[in-house]
Amino acid sequence: QVQLVESGGGSVQAGGSLRLSCAVSGYDYYMAWFRQASGKEREGVAAWTSGGNTYYADSVKGRFTISQDNAKNTLYLQMNSLKPEDTAMYYCAAYFVGFSGEWFNHRRWKYWGQGTQVTVSS
């Protein structure tokens, strides 16, 4: 079983930055960040593969960067130029059971962290 623990969330004004971290109990070849705003479905934000590929939702391209530190078993999400619409609970996910192109389908990920709240005020 893979355990994931997110941290780094908080409250920030629009235009600000935050870096989320996800400590992983083991190594995985694919990992991702999702978010879920109140009353909305969980949506994919960014995905990372061990082959060096990264994928981003259109809404965050150019503002968010996903990265992984193998030595620390930690996944990161650097979030810049934050907007109020980025407000959500952010989750990291591991153990992908889908096909390429399904990175942002939350049903294709088996393990989840408990989430960290990000609130962006205008």
Side-chain angles (χ1 to χ4, degrees):
Q1 176 128 3
V2 176
Q3 293 185 328
L4 309 168
V5 179
E6 301 99 334
S7 61
S11 296
V12 64
Q13 289 194 326
S17 298
L18 285 172
R19 189 176 80 155
L20 305 183
S21 299
C22 175
V24 187
S25 63
Y27 180 80
D28 203 346
Y29 294 99
Y30 310 100
M31 296 195 68
W33 286 98
F34 283 74
R35 65 186 181 187
Q36 188 166 17
S38 180
K40 295 188 176 181
E41 191 169 341
R42 191 167 296 191
E43 64 173 357
V45 175
W48 168 91
T49 75
S50 61
N53 296 315
T54 56
Y55 304 91
Y56 296 94
D58 288 342
S59 59
V60 306
K61 278 180 183 176
R63 300 188 299 122
F64 290 12
T65 303
I66 188 171
S67 62
Q68 192 262 6
D69 186 329
N70 191 26
K72 296 182 179 180
N73 279 354
T74 301
L75 182 74
Y76 300 100
L77 185 67
Q78 178 66 44
M79 305 186 297
N80 299 328
S81 303
L82 283 161
K83 304 175 180 180
E85 50 263 44
D86 294 319
T87 295
M89 185 73 78
Y90 283 72
Y91 300 89
C92 64
Y95 203 92
F96 182 64
V97 295
F99 296 95
S100 177
E102 294 186 307
W103 309 113
F104 296 152
N105 182 341
H106 63 87
R107 297 174 182 84
R108 296 293 183 257
W109 297 86
K110 184 173 181 179
Y111 297 114
W112 296 86
Q114 83 290 348
T116 185
Q117 177 69 37
V118 171
T119 302
V120 184
S121 58
S122 57

